[in-house]
Amino acid sequence: MIGLLDANNFYASCERVFRPDLMHQPIAILSNNDGCIIARSHEVKALGIPMGAPYFQVKKILDQHRAVVFSSNFSLYGDMSCRMMTLLDALVPRMEIYSIDESFVDFSGIKDISKLVHHIKNHIWYSLGIPISIGVGETKTLAKVANQVAKRKGKGPSVHILKGESAIDEALQNLTVRDIWGIGRRMSERLLGFGIYTGLQLKQVDPRWMRRQFTVMGERLVQELNGISCLSLEDVRDPKKSIQVSRSFRSPIRELEDLRSVVASYAMRLGEKLRSDGLRTKNIMVHIRTNIFQKNSPQYRNHTVVTLPNPVEDDINLVKACTRALEDIFKEGFGYHKAGVMAFDLLSQEDNVQFDLFSSLPTEDQGRKELFQALDSLNKRYGSGTVSLAACGNKPRWRDGKKNVSPAYTTRWKDLPKVFAK
Ligand SMILES: [Mg+2]
């Protein structure tokens, strides 16, 4: 049996740990620069506010319901995630971290699964204050289904073990194909076209037919729903295919110099992400655009890809490459609204790399490596952007937009919560 542990409304729950006064109040979390809603508490979901809604569109209804709105605080969420995963890791034989708040668990060899999952749920709730849902099923896909059933039981921590043909069929009957893990919008539209609406209908489809229509991925999906495990628990995370840092600005940027420092700070953030995942990149895309919603002002968007002779993961090379790319596509006379940098075709730092014959051979520069290790640990401890290259300017713009960010309760001494006893 495989379990899927998933924190309930994770970001909102992290905020509540340190603000128990907000236990029953609606909470929404905003994206970087406070642009749109990226996380919602149970109460905000109940108001019908969709994920990704632009904040200005839903501000009125949030205010009416006295919702508390936070800027995103990833120092806090990341640290709480590590704590949650560490607690879990100590209780289970094998696990695979799937996302910031989700983890698959292998229960093979466990006699009393029900007892263990209830223990995990309670342990994380009492040790950390984060409510989680655990779904258990015969395959990863069924564990996901079980988790959805658990989540429907209410906003507190909950558990659901999906076992037995009739229980599985009943759960699948209540899900649309769009709700099934691994089915995106396009695939669900095609399935609907074939008259397949519910998870149960999908389970009953001939796997060979699915293979013809939707390749081997479709076939696996049907088998997983039938309790035949096709997706194993990986000990290591799938290497990410791409890493991106992109944000829209609160006010338009017109000058190349300003945009350059923004892009440089994104490049540094990208370097930080690459290094923390043990990756390097040879291909970097930079994109910029004006505000498409401002119909009266002149519009421009462009992107370009820089391919470097050798894979890199250090900020100095990344900033140089991104700056060069930006200068290629920048045009004067526009108010830029958004920029982004993306690394793709990622290589592991351990991979043997074929170096370019004609470029100078990069020797492993120990000094530079140590420099970035020190920089990463400073930024992790004191907040992203504390130490940066001069290219970023002395006031990274993208940090301006955050109005309501909560303290870094668990990673910064001065933000440590104070407790008073009366
Ligand atoms: Mg979650």
Side-chain angles (χ1 to χ4, degrees), residues 259-388:
L259 202 55
R260 212 189 268 140
S261 64
V262 170
V263 168
S265 64
Y266 291 8
M268 286 199 67
R269 182 77 190 98
L270 186 73
E272 198 179 303
K273 287 186 181 193
L274 285 168
R275 290 190 295 277
S276 86
D277 284 344
L279 298 166
R280 341 172 117 162
T281 182
K282 268 180 85 165
N283 290 296
I284 303 159
M285 186 174 87
V286 175
H287 56 92
I288 50 174
R289 71 165 163 81
T290 52
N291 191 347
I292 46 173
F293 296 110
Q294 236 134 53
K295 297 253 176 344
N296 304 326
S297 36
Q299 298 287 321
Y300 173 69
R301 65 187 300 161
N302 205 351
H303 70 270
T304 187
V305 172
V306 192
T307 299
L308 299 164
N310 299 308
V312 299
E313 80 278 15
D314 72 286
D315 297 355
I316 295 173
N317 279 311
L318 287 168
V319 168
K320 268 189 202 159
C322 291
T323 307
R324 210 173 67 211
L326 173 69
E327 287 167 356
D328 278 350
I329 53 176
F330 179 85
K331 267 193 190 162
E332 242 166 284
F334 296 97
Y336 290 94
H337 176 65
K338 188 172 187 173
V341 298
M342 187 170 107
F344 53 94
D345 189 20
L346 303 173
L347 303 155
S348 156
Q349 286 182 16
E350 279 86 29
D351 278 352
N352 280 326
V353 171
Q354 189 95 56
F355 288 107
D356 185 334
L357 181 62
F358 300 105
S359 70
S360 55
L361 200 66
T363 44
E364 275 296 356
D365 187 339
Q366 193 56 33
R368 193 177 270 198
K369 212 171 176 182
E370 278 165 15
L371 170 69
F372 286 108
Q373 272 166 7
L375 198 126
D376 287 343
S377 70
L378 282 170
N379 286 336
K380 198 170 171 195
R381 188 148 160 202
Y382 298 106
S384 197
T386 303
V387 186
S388 64

Side-chain angles (χ1 to χ4, degrees), residues 19-39:
R19 292 286 307 274
D21 55 313
L22 303 179
M23 195 50 82
H24 302 291
Q25 224 163 319
I27 296 180
I29 318 287
L30 302 176
S31 59
N32 274 299
N33 278 356
D34 294 353
C36 42
I37 310 279
I38 56 160

Side-chain angles (χ1 to χ4, degrees), residues 6-10 101-102 151:
D6 183 2
N8 302 353
N9 317 313
F10 183 58
D101 73 328
E102 287 170 276
K151 283 244 164 64

Side-chain angles (χ1 to χ4, degrees), residues 49 69 108 116 142-143 186 190 206 329 350 358 384 399:
I49 291 173
V69 178
S108 50
L116 178 58
L142 288 174
R186 284 185 54 188
R190 281 191 62 207
D206 180 354
I329 53 176
E350 279 86 29
F358 300 105
S384 197
R399 299 184 74 197

Side-chain angles (χ1 to χ4, degrees), residues 190-201:
R190 281 191 62 207
L191 286 167
L192 296 183
F194 288 120
I196 300 165
Y197 301 100
T198 69
L200 183 58
Q201 284 176 304

